[in-house]
């Protein structure tokens, strides 16, 4: 599958300082797992729909969940933004901006201006 996303060596080098230390059993390939997480999020796929090249979907989900709960991805974003002089990061993901089908008529019903 040629449409897969893979992090480059330069991108991995910038991300590695933010990785948590491995305790006990070594983690599976960070590049493969992070590339898979990015691919899933970019394409709005379910974890089960992850291409097999990224490994088991359960591994992708578990890493995403564990690192999200620990704030590792947030630290990555803040750290990468700080390198460019940005003081805060704003991200909008359309999958969380859902509107009810009647939302377009709410302004008219509540006395708003009709466009």
């Amino acid at each position: 599958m040629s449409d897969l996303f893979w992090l480059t060596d330069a991108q991995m080098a910038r991300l590695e300082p933010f990785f948590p230390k491995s305790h006990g059993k070594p983690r599976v390939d960070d590049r493969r797992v992070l590339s898979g997480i990015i691919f899933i999020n970019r394409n709005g796929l379910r974890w089960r729909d992850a291409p097999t090249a990224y490994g088991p979907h359960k591994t992708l989900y578990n890493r995403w969940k564990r690192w999200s709960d620990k704030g590792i991805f947030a630290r990555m974003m803040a750290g990468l933004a700080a390198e460019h002089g940005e003081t805060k990061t704003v991200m909008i993901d359309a999958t969380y901006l859902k509107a009810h089908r009647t939302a377009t008529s709410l302004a008219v019903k509540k006395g708003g201006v009709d466009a």
Side-chain angles (χ1 to χ4, degrees):
M1 200 179 232
S2 63
D3 294 334
L4 297 180
F5 171 81
W6 294 102
L7 289 164
T8 65
D9 290 335
Q11 291 168 329
M12 284 300 292
R14 290 185 66 200
L15 293 174
E16 282 175 2
F18 302 105
F19 293 175
K21 302 272 188 267
S22 182
H23 299 289
K25 187 177 175 183
R27 290 190 303 260
V28 296
D29 183 20
D30 288 325
R31 180 188 314 266
R32 187 186 75 193
V33 173
L34 290 177
S35 295
I37 290 169
I38 292 168
F39 183 84
I40 290 295
N41 287 322
R42 275 178 140 184
N43 294 298
L45 300 175
R46 297 178 307 166
W47 294 107
R48 288 192 181 278
D49 296 333
T52 56
Y54 295 125
H57 66 86
K58 190 70 172 171
T59 301
L60 300 178
Y61 172 77
N62 286 341
R63 174 82 58 93
W64 174 80
K65 177 70 173 145
R66 199 169 48 250
W67 282 19
S68 293
D69 289 347
K70 290 181 179 180
I72 293 167
F73 289 120
R75 281 195 298 275
M76 279 183 192
M77 293 297 162
L80 292 173
E83 291 176 10
H84 297 287
E86 297 292 329
T87 56
K88 58 183 175 179
T89 302
V90 177
M91 299 172 67
I92 298 174
D93 185 310
T95 59
Y96 294 107
L97 299 175
K98 297 183 192 259
H100 192 271
R101 65 179 178 238
T102 59
T104 57
S105 62
L106 287 178
V108 176
K109 289 181 183 176
K110 294 197 176 205
V113 178
D114 191 12

